[in-house]
């Protein structure tokens, strides 16, 4: 809307890390340092080769300094002018059998930190081990260097930093082409993840439903995607009583955001259709079933599902998956007020089912109920929802793992594998049908909580399932991994952008 100020995160002011590909050998790399991979089992053949150039000095140093090559441990050794580069950095990868896509990203995120500490401005790499490292390198370094520093007047993000360069040396033109593809992919996936992190980290006073709707319109305009915002009046006409009920206590008007991507080639016009639904509670106070102080502190993150979908759409034009994708994001605040929905109130969802709202803090399932039911009328082949839905899922699986709920085992496998390939973990959770009766209400078709603090992630998922009649569906509960309380090298404290890379990977596959 013209009155809403939009700050865009599309391009961060300047990328501090530049990645280039060059044909040549690591020995001649004109960088300050070169990096070599080392397994706990020993040097890679490539590292061996450089070690010979240095007269066995590298191996001698690993013994003298007791370097065991554990994951994310580094050893910096001078080259004494035997190479163009002044220094050699040995990167510990740990045990071969334990290595995976996540470890790779963690190593490179730790490396980003190390480069900064050591003030190393350019680093040479080569395709030197039997794992695909380029995409992991770009993602690890970019995501590991992430900071949300825009509101700090002093601090690391405000210090003037020189641009660092990472040069990847390849043997020939063919390798150049194939690695360039991986590099670009890593850049696009990182950019999208950072987009989601920024949205989650931004205070809720900025990322209001109106703001998110304007952002979606910008994305739609930039990429020529269809974008439609269903305003409060539209929601009333459509009969989305559950979303409206949650929004009732807030001064911010609710929206249902719809973005739509069609594959470019007309031959793909009849491609499969996927509806992505993302929970967009821009702040969750719990409503009249108010949260305790410590539970509420991070609740600006309760729109991480919607943020992930916006982030996915922000790069779809570059990835061009061969599927028709519709994003649906119900967005509203969950606030207590004199107008707020009260425990015991009954709302009617888009599909006509009535819901007794016993606990106003179980609001995510209410707004998703309308969006899922509406999504099914668009006749997709698949519905996938992403939501910071339950504290119970965080208790069950912790901060590193998301729950995945679906009756389609193949889908569970496909999504988990898409996640594993980019270092995001999903664990299959049961949609235990015998728990359905716990959602029975005396006054309405169903109630929004069971009243017992057991199996909460499952009963929430079962509630969602009531709003889909037959379309294949999977639900991702990202309440844990959407936010990092402490933070790691790869996932600094705050919003993580979790699921963005998995979804992009899944859509492409
Ligand atoms: N947004 C929360 C879930 C959540 C909790 C996300 C912690 C991330 C971290 C959701 O709206 C909620 O409040 N769920 C309740 C449900 C309960 C009332 C049945 C919960 O998990 O406590
Ligand atoms: Mg809640
Ligand atoms: Zn919530």
């Amino acid at each position: 809307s013209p009155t809403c100020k939009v700050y865009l995160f599309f391009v961060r002011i300047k990328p501090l890390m530049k990645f280039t590909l060059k044909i040549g050998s690591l020995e001649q790399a004109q960088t300050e340092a070169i990096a070599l991979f080392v397994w706990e089992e020993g040097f890679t053949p490539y590292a061996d080769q450089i070690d010979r150039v240095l007269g066995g000095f590298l191996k001698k140093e690993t013994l003298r300094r007791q370097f065991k090559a554990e994951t994310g441990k580094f050893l910096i050794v001078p080259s004494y002018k035997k190479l163009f580069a002044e220094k050699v950095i040995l990167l510990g990868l740990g045990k071969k059998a334990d290595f995976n896509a996540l470890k790779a990203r963690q190593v490179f995120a730790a490396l980003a930190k190390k480069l900064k500490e050591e003030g190393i401005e350019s680093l040479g790499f080569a395709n030197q081990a039997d794992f695909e490292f380029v995409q992991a390198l770009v993602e690890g370094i970019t995501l590991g260097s992430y900071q949300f520093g825009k509101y700090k007047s002093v601090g690391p993000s405000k210090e003037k930093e020189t641009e660092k360069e990472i040069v990847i040396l390849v043997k020939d033109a063919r390798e150049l082409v194939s690695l360039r593809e991986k590099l670009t992919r890593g850049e696009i996936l990182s950019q999208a993840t950072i987009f989601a992190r920024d949205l989650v980290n931004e205070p809720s006073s900025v990322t209001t439903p109106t703001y998110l709707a304007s952002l979606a319109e910008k994305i739609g305009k930039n990429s020529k995607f269809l974008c439609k915002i269903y305003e409060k009046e539209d929601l009333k006409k459509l009969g989305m009583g559950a979303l409206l009920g949650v929004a009732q206590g807030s001064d911010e008007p609710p929206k249902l955001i719809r973005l739509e991507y069609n594959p470019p080639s007309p031959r793909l016009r009849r491609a499969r259709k996927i509806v992505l639904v993302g929970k967009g509670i821009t702040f969750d106070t719990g409503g009249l079933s108010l949260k305790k102080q410590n539970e509420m502190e991070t609740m600006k993150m309760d729109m991480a599902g919607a943020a992930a979908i916006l982030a996915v759409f922000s790069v779809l034009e570059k990835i061009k998956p061969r599927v028709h994708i519709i994003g649906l994001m119900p967005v509203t605040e969950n606030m207590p007020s004199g107008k707020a929905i009260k425990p015991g109130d009954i709302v009617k969802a888009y599909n006509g089912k009535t819901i007794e709202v016993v606990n106003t803090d179980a609001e995510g399932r209410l707004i998703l109920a309308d969006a899922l039911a509406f999504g099914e009328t668009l006749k997709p082949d698949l519905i996938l929802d992403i939501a910071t839905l339950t504290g119970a899922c965080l208790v069950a699986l912790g901060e590193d793992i998301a729950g995945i709920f679906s009756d389609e085992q193949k889908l569970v496998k496909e999504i988990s594998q898409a996640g594993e390939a980019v270092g995001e973990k999903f664990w299959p959770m049961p949609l235990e049908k015998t728990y359905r009766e716990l959602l029975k209400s005396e006054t309405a078709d169903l109630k929004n909580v069971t009243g017992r603090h057991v199996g909460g992630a499952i009963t929430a998922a079962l509630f969602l399932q009531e709003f889909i009649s037959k379309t294949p569906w999977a639900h991702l509960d990202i309440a844990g991994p959407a936010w990092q309380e402490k933070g790691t090298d790869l996932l600094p404290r705050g919003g993580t952008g979790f699921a963005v890379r998995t979804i992009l990977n899944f859509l492409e596959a």
Side-chain angles (χ1 to χ4, degrees):
S1 90
T3 51
C4 172
K5 239 198 198 160
V6 172
Y7 309 81
L8 276 181
F9 312 114
F10 282 126
V11 190
R12 295 198 133 222
I13 313 304
K14 67 174 182 192
L16 287 173
M17 207 64 73
K18 194 174 132 202
F19 297 91
T20 41
L21 285 160
K22 279 187 188 143
I23 297 177
S25 76
L26 206 46
E27 286 131 86
Q28 284 122 36
Q30 301 192 2
T31 51
E32 199 178 322
I34 60 166
L36 296 176
F37 298 145
V38 185
W39 299 106
E40 274 185 41
E41 287 90 341
F43 276 38
T44 60
Y46 206 106
D48 265 335
Q49 195 183 312
I50 303 281
D51 190 37
R52 280 196 290 278
V53 176
L54 296 177
F57 186 58
L58 294 178
K59 286 221 175 107
K60 228 177 276 162
E61 280 297 284
T62 57
L63 288 176
R64 189 177 72 82
R65 290 161 68 181
Q66 294 180 8
F67 178 69
K68 304 248 165 30
E70 292 135 314
T71 331
K73 291 277 184 335
F74 309 118
L75 186 70
I76 303 182
V77 182
S79 74
Y80 294 117
K81 301 217 159 49
K82 287 192 179 147
L83 299 168
F84 187 96
E86 266 169 55
K87 298 168 193 152
V88 177
I89 307 183
L90 300 179
L91 307 188
L93 299 182
K95 289 196 181 65
K96 267 188 193 172
D98 298 341
F99 198 70
N100 57 30
L102 176 58
K103 286 247 169 74
R105 281 155 182 82
Q106 285 166 338
V107 168
F108 296 128
L111 176 65
K113 210 166 155 194
K114 189 82 180 167
L115 294 179
K116 199 168 172 184
E117 275 167 23
E118 300 283 329
I120 294 173
E121 317 242 293
S122 63
L123 180 64
F125 264 96
N127 205 5
Q128 49 181 296
D130 39 11
F131 75 95
E132 293 226 15
F133 83 104
V134 174
Q135 190 183 330
L137 173 72
V138 176
E139 287 176 25
I141 296 246
T142 315
L143 298 177
S145 314
Y146 174 84
Q147 281 171 328
F148 185 73
K150 68 186 269 199
Y151 294 109
K152 277 190 168 290
S153 38
V154 286
S157 61
K158 289 291 178 292
E159 284 158 22
K160 241 187 112 147
E161 255 188 83
T162 45
E163 189 184 66
K164 290 191 180 59
E165 191 181 19
I166 303 241
V167 184
I168 301 157
L169 292 134
V170 296
K171 17 178 223 301
D172 50 30
R174 238 183 80 197
E175 196 177 46
L176 189 91
V177 172
S178 82
L179 292 191
R180 181 177 293 140
E181 204 175 291
K182 300 280 181 207
L183 197 155
T184 307
R185 206 180 145 71
E187 283 179 335
I188 295 170
L189 263 53
S190 308
Q191 186 197 336
T193 307
I194 285 175
F195 186 100
R197 284 185 182 182
D198 277 345
L199 278 178
V200 170
N201 288 332
E202 193 69 49
S204 65
S205 57
V206 176
T207 48
T208 59
T210 305
Y211 176 92
L212 293 180
S214 310
L215 186 58
E217 280 174 335
K218 281 259 151 62
I219 294 171
K221 214 165 146 206
N222 282 358
S223 304
K224 302 201 174 56
F225 298 157
L226 184 140
C227 176
K228 182 165 171 52
I229 310 298
Y230 299 91
E231 303 288 345
K232 196 171 164 184
E233 288 309 311
D234 304 316
L235 300 175
K236 276 186 195 156
K237 277 184 215 136
L238 286 165
M240 297 204 175
L243 171 55
L244 286 165
V246 173
Q248 207 172 290
S250 168
D251 290 343
E252 294 288 340
K255 321 260 174 189
L256 175 68
I257 302 172
R258 172 177 180 175
L259 269 168
E260 200 156 339
Y261 159 90
N262 267 297
S265 154
R267 273 192 297 123
L268 293 169
R269 276 295 134 78
R270 267 183 292 142
R272 276 185 295 174
K273 195 194 282 182
I274 299 186
V275 166
L276 299 173
V277 177
K279 172 176 173 182
I281 294 292
T282 61
F283 195 83
D284 185 9
T285 65
L288 289 174
S289 313
L290 200 64
K291 286 183 184 296
K292 287 184 230 143
Q293 287 174 33
N294 60 332
E295 288 171 347
M296 204 192 292
E297 279 160 10
T298 57
M299 279 302 134
K300 65 177 181 184
M301 60 79 94
D302 212 18
M303 36 60 86
I309 295 180
L310 286 174
V312 163
F313 271 88
S314 78
V315 298
L316 274 187
E317 195 195 21
K318 293 182 189 154
I319 300 231
K320 297 191 182 65
R322 300 150 68 89
V323 275
H324 181 172
I325 306 161
I326 301 173
L328 289 178
M329 291 146 276
V331 286
T332 177
E333 289 181 333
N334 184 23
M335 299 292 284
S337 82
K339 294 205 189 79
I341 192 162
K342 299 178 285 297
D345 284 357
I346 294 174
V347 295
K348 191 183 213 166
Y350 180 75
N351 68 347
K353 282 196 184 176
T354 55
I355 308 161
E356 181 191 358
V357 180
V358 174
N359 187 320
T360 64
D361 197 12
E363 84 300 336
R365 61 197 77 182
L366 295 174
I367 68 168
L368 291 173
D370 279 335
L372 290 169
F374 179 72
E376 191 165 32
T377 64
L378 305 173
K379 298 195 170 53
D381 298 282
L382 166 68
I383 303 178
L384 178 61
D385 80 70
I386 302 105
T388 48
L389 199 64
T390 65
C393 203
L394 170 62
V395 170
L397 300 175
E399 269 190 353
D400 291 347
I401 309 169
I404 174 165
F405 300 77
S406 180
D407 284 334
E408 320 283 326
Q409 292 322 307
K410 190 165 158 258
L411 192 54
V412 169
K413 213 167 151 196
E414 283 171 356
I415 294 172
S416 312
Q417 281 170 352
E420 210 178 304
V422 289
E424 294 186 328
K425 292 178 187 165
F426 293 84
W427 194 257
M429 298 283 278
L431 273 171
E432 179 55 50
K433 304 295 184 280
T434 52
Y435 294 170
R436 245 190 214 155
E437 66 175 274
L438 301 171
L439 293 166
K440 279 191 183 144
S441 160
E442 277 169 21
T443 51
D445 295 335
L446 66 164
K447 54 184 180 183
N448 74 333
V449 291
T450 63
R452 285 195 62 202
H453 280 288
V454 293
I458 300 172
T459 50
L462 286 170
F463 180 94
L464 297 183
Q465 196 168 32
E466 291 296 313
F467 296 87
I468 293 172
S469 61
K470 52 179 193 294
T471 311
W473 160 76
H475 155 60
L476 308 179
D477 193 333
I478 60 166
W483 182 268
Q484 276 278 326
E485 202 48 53
K486 284 214 178 72
T488 62
D489 289 337
L490 183 62
L491 308 168
R493 190 192 132 80
T496 58
F498 188 90
V500 172
R501 287 175 298 131
T502 299
I503 296 169
L504 285 167
N505 220 8
F506 171 71
L507 292 173
E508 213 181 352

